[in-house]
Amino acid sequence: MTINTQVKVNSKQQHKQLENRGCLLVKCPDKPGIVSILSTFLHNHESNIIESSQYSSDPENGMFFIRIEYHRENLLNEKEKMESDFLDIAAIHEMDYDFSYRNERKRSAIFVSKEIHCLMELLWEWQNGDLDTDIVVVISNHEDARPIVESLGIPFHYIPANKDIRKQVEEEQIRLMDKYEVDLLILARYMQILTPDFVGHFESRIINIHHSFLPAFIGAGPYERAYERGVKLIGATSHYVTNNLDEGPIIEQDVERVDHRDDVVNLKKIGRQIERRVLAKAVKWHLENRIIVEGNKTIVFH
């Protein structure tokens, strides 16, 4: 049995166990009684709340955010009625909401360039069953990652890219995203700028890892600039991609302490470790429906 086949078998077994598990994300104007309304709705639909987390931006005229995970017997047959019955509640209370179901795995594509450490971390987490997604394709403007990707039975597409052919490249990438029915696009150190047209196809569905603790050192060469500045902390930032370069809603960040002994090579080595764990966390939280985007910020229910 190949590694990829074993992953698929484990995945089917896991998702059979989760077929009665659902998740409800809600964003609405804050006012008394919202938690009661939601819990009553779930109670009336014979659902047992197993995890709940909430946040109010301001108890007076603010916004209210909540994530509720619940168990409901025979959920696959009841979910359409639940969603239909929720429409009136959502309209009355001006709710933006999303129902998701733990047995439905998102389909992910990974874009990568020459540096493959973040790709390797994602593949490792996926092989272990800790990344709840189907990695359906890897796309790169270099050939470096092909052997490891294809050894796992994942399709690999090499598409050379530069600013002169960007339109043709993105047309092909969009075609592949449609072909593989991709839900989430992960930029695992993909060193190309995406156009507004491409980003518009995947709003709040592209996660990037930036090798800097944003907003410091936006753009290229952050480790070189950090070394020149003599920083004592370096970090990495995972964020949703928008048309403003490196300024999309931040999902996760982390740092490590450094000192005057660390040259650029050492900074990059330390930085790669931070990048790997920060991107993996952000992707996991997206896959588990733990993130609500609010303007240029995120509410993340850990």
Side-chain angles (χ1 to χ4, degrees):
M1 182 179 293
T2 67
I3 293 175
N4 199 21
T5 302
Q6 184 62 57
V7 168
K8 290 180 179 178
V9 170
N10 293 342
S11 169
K12 288 180 180 178
Q13 293 173 344
Q14 180 184 21
H15 282 268
K16 180 67 176 176
Q17 298 170 353
L18 295 175
E19 65 182 14
N20 291 322
R21 187 79 62 87
C23 178
L24 174 60
L25 283 176
V26 171
K27 174 175 70 173
C28 65
D30 197 2
K31 61 182 177 181
I34 296 296
V35 174
S36 175
I37 291 165
L38 296 174
S39 59
T40 299
F41 167 81
L42 291 170
H43 174 72
N44 290 341
H45 283 272
E46 302 177 28
S47 301
N48 183 34
I49 295 174
I50 55 178
E51 182 181 329
S52 180
S53 184
Q54 65 197 61
Y55 166 72
S56 174
S57 63
D58 188 337
E60 297 182 6
N61 302 316
M63 293 297 292
F64 181 77
F65 308 85
I66 188 167
R67 178 186 186 273
I68 302 176
E69 196 164 332
Y70 60 92
H71 177 274
R72 205 277 189 213
E73 289 296 327
N74 201 28
L75 178 59
L76 297 184
N77 292 325
E78 297 294 333
K79 63 181 185 180
E80 288 187 10
K81 177 170 173 47
M82 289 182 69
E83 292 186 27
S84 177
D85 290 349
F86 195 74
L87 290 173
D88 288 341
I89 293 174
I92 292 169
H93 300 285
E94 303 175 74
M95 293 178 175
D96 291 332
Y97 68 95
D98 178 64
F99 281 94
S100 59
Y101 304 95
R102 290 291 303 277
N103 73 308
E104 297 177 355
R105 284 167 69 89
K106 291 183 174 65
R107 297 168 62 83
S108 297
I110 302 177
F111 283 28
V112 64
S113 291
K114 289 184 69 69
E115 296 192 52
I116 64 171
H117 54 282
C118 288
L119 168 67
M120 295 293 290
E121 182 73 16
L122 295 172
L123 294 176
W124 174 252
E125 295 277 1
W126 173 73
Q127 286 181 268
N128 283 343
D130 293 328
L131 201 63
D132 191 20
T133 188
D134 292 326
I135 300 176
V136 295
V137 65
V138 173
I139 294 174
S140 181
N141 57 330
H142 295 276
E143 289 278 10
D144 301 61
R146 181 186 291 277
I148 182 64
V149 171
E150 291 187 339
S151 73
L152 296 174
I154 301 170
F156 179 90
H157 290 266
Y158 165 60
I159 306 177
N162 60 62
K163 62 182 180 180
D164 297 325
I165 58 171
R166 188 159 290 154
K167 186 176 186 298
Q168 303 95 296
V169 167
E170 291 190 344
E171 287 174 352
E172 174 64 9
Q173 291 170 339
I174 291 172
R175 186 190 69 80
L176 289 171
M177 296 303 96
D178 291 340
K179 173 184 175 181
Y180 289 101
E181 300 177 321
V182 169
D183 300 304
L184 174 65
L185 202 166
I186 306 164
L187 305 183
R189 294 301 303 275
Y190 181 65
M191 309 306 289
Q192 295 289 315
I193 295 174
L194 304 177
T195 69
D197 181 61
F198 186 91
V199 173
H201 277 80
F202 307 99
E203 184 177 357
S204 296
R205 292 192 294 139
I206 307 176
I207 294 179
N208 185 42
I209 182 68
H210 185 72
H211 41 315
S212 172
F213 192 79
L214 295 175
F217 306 124
I218 289 174
Y223 292 119
E224 287 80 1
R225 287 182 287 147
Y227 175 75
E228 291 170 3
R229 185 65 182 82
V231 302
K232 306 307 178 191
L233 289 171
I234 62 169
T237 303
S238 189
H239 62 92
Y240 287 114
V241 174
T242 65
N243 291 323
N244 296 318
L245 181 64
D246 296 332
E247 294 186 10
I250 291 171
I251 304 170
E252 173 65 343
Q253 296 180 292
D254 204 355
V255 295
E256 291 283 356
R257 183 165 292 280
V258 296
D259 63 25
H260 58 276
R261 300 176 184 86
D262 293 304
D263 59 16
V264 173
V265 173
N266 284 338
L267 294 183
K268 289 183 177 181
K269 183 184 297 185
I270 296 168
R272 284 193 289 269
Q273 297 173 353
I274 313 172
E275 293 163 25
R276 288 163 49 192
R277 64 177 182 257
V278 167
L279 179 60
K281 284 183 180 180
V283 170
K284 285 181 183 179
W285 293 335
H286 178 95
L287 295 171
E288 294 173 0
N289 298 290
R290 295 186 176 275
I291 306 170
I292 297 177
V293 176
E294 172 67 358
N296 203 43
K297 295 182 179 180
T298 60
I299 310 300
V300 183
F301 297 111
H302 297 160

